[in-house]
Amino acid sequence: MLLAALGLLATAAWASPEQYLYDVWQHGEGLPQISVFALAQDDDGYLWLGTLEGVVRFDGLGFTVFNRSNTPQLGSNIINAIAADRDGSLWIGTREGLARWQDGRFVDCTSAAGRVLNVQFLHRDHEGQLWIGSRDGLSRFDGTTLTTFTTRDGLSHNSVWAIQDDRQGHLWIGTQEGLNRLNNGVFTSYTTRDGLVHDRVRALYEDRRGRLWIGTAEGIQSLEEGRFITYTPPSGPAHPAVLLFYEDQRGDLWIGTTSGLYRLTRDVFTFYSKETGLPDNWVRAVLEDREGSLWIGTRLGGLCRLRERRITVLGSAEGLPSDVIWAIRQDRAGNVWIGTDSGLARIAPDGDVTTYTTRDGLPNNDVWALYEDRRGNLWVGTCGLGLARLREGTFRGYTEGGLRQSCVTCIHEDRAGDLWFGTVNAGLHRLVDDQLRSYTIAEGLPSNNVKSLYEDPHGALWIATDGGLTRYANGRFSTLPRQELGHDSVWSLDGDRAGTLWIGTRGHGLGRLRDGTWTHFSVRDGLFDLVHRILEDSRGRLWMSSNRGIFTVRKQELDDFAAGRISGITSLSFGKTDGMRSNEANGRGDPAGWRTRDGKLWFPTIKGVAIVDADHIERNDVAPNIVIEEVLIDKQPIAPDRRAVLAPGTKVFEFRYVALSFLAPEKIRYRYMLENLDDGWEDAGTRRLAHYTNLAPGSYRFRVIAANSDGVWNLSGDSFEFYLRPAIYQTRYFYLACVAAVALVVLGAHRYRVRQLLRHNQELSRMKMQLEAKNTELELKHAELEAKNVEVEATNTELERFTYTVSHDLKSPLFTVEGFLGLLEKDAARGDRERMTTDMRHIRVATKRMGQLLDELLELSRIGRVINPPEEAPLDELAREAVALVSGRIAERGVEIVIAPEMPAVLGDRPRLLEVLQNLIENAVKFMGSQEDPRVEITAELRDGETVCHVRDNGIGIDPKYHEKIFGLFNKLDPQVEGTGIGLALVRRIIEVHDGRIGVESEGQGRGSTFWFTIPQKKR
């Protein structure tokens, strides 16, 4: 059995009945009746079945039954024959008449035929004519006229079971009593006297080579060059009762009999029966669908499908010691070693199996890890009693130290020749010169549960544990941070030829370490979250095992996703539908998968070894046809094959669709959109229903596309167009009528209001003339009061602001006077004239300062009141006058004064503006500091309707944090410098009275300052 299974891996499809996948549908799977007498596939892709309880349509997941109760066009529920026509319609032969399925509906053809026929066979010849075999003879039907041939016309018997036309234009008819040929209206009969093995002919077929095959009640024959040739199959009944012939796309001839199914390939017979997996031996119908699956209708076994096995499985039935597989490895001699829970198996290149157990020296039959070292020794890790080495047929056990009573999960030999062993809960062990050294959490491992080992091209050892991923190099362990890895439980490590490290995790999918950069691929991106083992095939694809089957993805697609070139990953999954006996692969052992020298990938599962011929696995390139089966509008069905116009107020829209792919219909993925509403495709997954509500009136088109289980998309899909009519209140005319009505109402109201206003206007005019005079008088008084109020409010505000500062600064000289008066009194009592003179000098200075302070406060208080009438004053003139006023201080400091010529004139209080320039120039000279070349520059220009004047110096500068503060009352940045601190406050007040602005610019200490002010341009 194992030899046959291994041989299958190297041969073409259909090579062994035992390696077929048999899918069966009976009552439990939804088939309404288990007698399937006829099979056909229509242009949409549906599979049609003829049963004893009606004709059944199958979409891969569900059956739809048409019988007399819901389809009266059928003459009977007993369906004996179905034939597909060139125009996409189906002819359906029943026990009591003929019907036709065309354009989504059934048509009763019995009345057109003029009589009720017990149809047994239907055949469309090369010219498109429909031939009917019944118990009443041979009939030809052109859609309106039925022409029947019977024994009266030369037919050997009226019960016709089979019809076939050949390439010479002859029509062959199989009857209850012999074979007939119709040529130019003349029948010729053949019986046992002419070489038939039996007169009852139930099947006829002309193959691609031109051979006419004849199925009789007692054997298989062919007619070649006028001779009958009899075939005797080597297996199964030697003379089977033949019911049908069917030639598939490969040219293989399938022969249905009452005792099983035969396949003839290059004159070699293969027999299939209940012993090999068929549900029933009585085969009534055979059909190959567009995807290459072979469908079989049986008398009492329901519907069966034979399809190519993508995955071959070896288990206990094929000679292995157990179905539970932990580890797989191929040695240098080509032997494949398999660790199971019941012993160790070796499969030789010739398929011979040898099993090793405790009777042969294994310490334990539960084999978890396998490794071949560079000397050719096989190391076997078991669970419970440690490690063993197989050399020249003899096992030697290693149970020292931490290996005693432990489970060995993985084994690796490093480039130095040291052997490393990972265990469950006993850490990592290293065998050097038969001496065992242990490493645990105490030495730096994140966990004592070691899953996998991998040595990178630089000689570093990577250790996968359920506590994280650790790297061992230069005698030290370093564990990767969890945020980089994404998960603590690491199950497998594999490196590819490019030096990339691939990491399989439990719960976080696939990890990739390339050039120091981590990338994660999880279920959100299109993969599975649990990865047991990672293998690479020769086509650049990664194959991974998990508890949900085996899946594969192209490495280039992973690279594109990591680089952001695509938004998702499309992986293909394989499981029970592809030949696995269980979807659950095992990841506990090591290696949990192996690529053998012939390129095949072996994965351990809980039900045998799953073998994938990755380099030759065929993809299903047939894009599924898509059909919108049903459209429900407010839960009422409408025809989905024509554009619909829907009534206003329609609320609920449901679309039911299906993609016809039978290989794995549960894996078909759908996308849909409603044009004029959706911006893009909605991913429906495997859901076959779309639902919309409360659509606005307008034209829409619902579209649906789908991909088969191998990711091949039908981007054309199917569509349904409809127009939702607006209600009267949703039409443009209604909106226009509403606008017109509103306009009329507004116009009427306007006219009424105008008339009302006109009546009051005369009265208001009289009142207006009386009030205008008083209003004018009141307005003038009000303006005067407002001006007074503004002036009072400004004065109050200014006084409040001055109160605290003035009281504080006036107290300072008073304190000085008071203090020195006390000293003067004491000095007078002592008669110290010199000290008295000094005291009086200090009192004089303080009183002088108080007088100066009071003068400046008085000056500041005057500002805001019109003292001098406005006059036009050129700024260059004012600047020269101001320089003259402080010329003594300028000369004392040696400051160069530069006045720009032809500066613009301003309209204002000339003395006050002179005072502004004098203050600014004096301040610039005063705060020049130790500048070697002191310079003050005065400029002015017109800008945006105002005059901007600048006074620039190269003195000590002003820190930016004091730029606003210096314009406050009594604010002196340097207490040692003479002055009261009122000057700049005075300047600011003068500029504000002229509706101007003032500011300072300086980059800081030692960088000079620029004071600027603006005066709006006004005309006299």
Side-chain angles (χ1 to χ4, degrees), residues 739-858:
V739 171
V742 171
L744 289 174
V745 171
V746 171
L747 180 60
H750 174 70
R751 288 181 175 178
Y752 172 78
R753 181 61 177 165
V754 168
R755 287 195 298 270
Q756 190 179 39
L757 290 174
L758 287 174
R759 284 195 301 268
H760 292 289
N761 189 44
Q762 294 176 352
E763 183 180 355
L764 291 174
S765 296
R766 288 192 301 268
M767 295 175 64
K768 181 179 179 182
M769 293 177 64
Q770 296 172 2
L771 293 174
E772 278 181 352
K774 292 184 178 180
N775 285 340
T776 301
E777 181 181 354
L778 290 173
E779 286 175 359
L780 291 173
K781 291 182 178 180
H782 179 73
E784 291 177 4
L785 288 174
E786 285 291 331
K788 294 291 184 181
N789 287 337
V790 170
E791 184 176 354
V792 169
E793 287 178 4
T795 302
N796 289 339
T797 302
E798 190 70 23
L799 288 175
E800 288 175 4
R801 189 169 58 196
F802 290 166
T803 300
Y804 173 78
T805 306
V806 169
S807 62
H808 178 273
D809 281 41
L810 286 177
K811 284 181 181 180
S812 180
L814 286 175
F815 288 155
T816 302
V817 171
E818 183 180 5
F820 279 99
L821 283 174
L823 292 176
L824 180 62
E825 185 179 0
K826 292 178 182 179
D827 292 337
R830 288 194 300 267
D832 190 344
R833 297 179 62 85
E834 184 178 349
R835 291 293 297 273
M836 290 172 62
T837 302
T838 301
D839 294 339
M840 287 187 289
R841 186 171 63 252
H842 283 294
I843 292 171
R844 191 178 300 111
V845 170
T847 56
K848 181 180 180 182
R849 173 172 171 76
M850 183 182 296
Q852 181 183 0
L853 186 61
L854 291 172
D855 289 342
E856 291 188 359
L857 285 174
L858 183 60

Side-chain angles (χ1 to χ4, degrees), residues 338-359:
I338 300 174
T340 77
D341 67 347
S342 300
L344 174 67
R346 183 192 67 187
I347 303 176
D350 61 2
D352 185 46
V353 179
T354 304
T355 299
Y356 302 88
T357 65
T358 52
R359 293 190 299 270

Side-chain angles (χ1 to χ4, degrees), residues 882 886 889 917-927 978:
V886 294
R889 189 180 292 271
L917 284 174
Q918 178 183 346
N919 261 289
L920 294 180
I921 296 170
E922 187 173 16
N923 275 350
V925 173
K926 185 190 305 183
F927 295 100
E978 59 180 298

Side-chain angles (χ1 to χ4, degrees), residues 423-558:
T423 67
V424 175
N425 298 327
L428 182 65
H429 305 273
R430 184 180 188 181
L431 184 64
V432 183
D433 298 329
D434 268 356
Q435 298 297 314
L436 200 65
R437 180 180 177 184
S438 299
Y439 303 87
T440 64
I441 293 175
E443 284 73 31
L445 281 179
S447 168
N448 287 335
N449 194 359
V450 179
K451 299 288 188 181
S452 182
L453 300 170
Y454 171 74
E455 187 175 9
D456 66 22
H458 305 291
L461 185 68
W462 294 83
I463 305 127
T465 77
D466 64 2
L469 180 61
T470 296
R471 182 175 179 269
Y472 180 79
N474 301 320
R476 296 183 59 186
F477 292 96
S478 56
T479 300
L480 271 72
R482 189 182 192 278
Q483 58 268 27
E484 289 190 15
L485 185 62
H487 201 276
D488 286 335
S489 187
V490 182
W491 276 63
S492 63
L493 301 171
D494 293 277
D496 62 18
R497 291 181 290 271
T500 300
L501 178 63
W502 298 95
I503 302 100
T505 73
R506 183 186 181 92
H508 200 67
L510 178 68
R512 186 189 74 177
L513 177 59
R514 176 181 291 173
D515 300 328
T517 300
W518 286 95
T519 308
H520 301 283
F521 313 92
S522 67
V523 68
R524 297 189 307 273
D525 310 315
L527 300 185
F528 293 160
D529 278 342
L530 175 60
V531 178
H532 289 322
R533 176 68 163 155
I534 308 157
L535 298 176
E536 183 178 3
D537 65 15
S538 63
R539 297 182 177 181
R541 295 174 297 188
L542 294 183
W543 293 77
M544 289 156 275
S545 60
S546 75
N547 61 341
R548 294 167 58 190
I550 298 167
F551 60 101
T552 181
V553 63
R554 293 185 302 113
K555 286 172 60 178
Q556 183 60 51
E557 192 167 348
L558 295 175

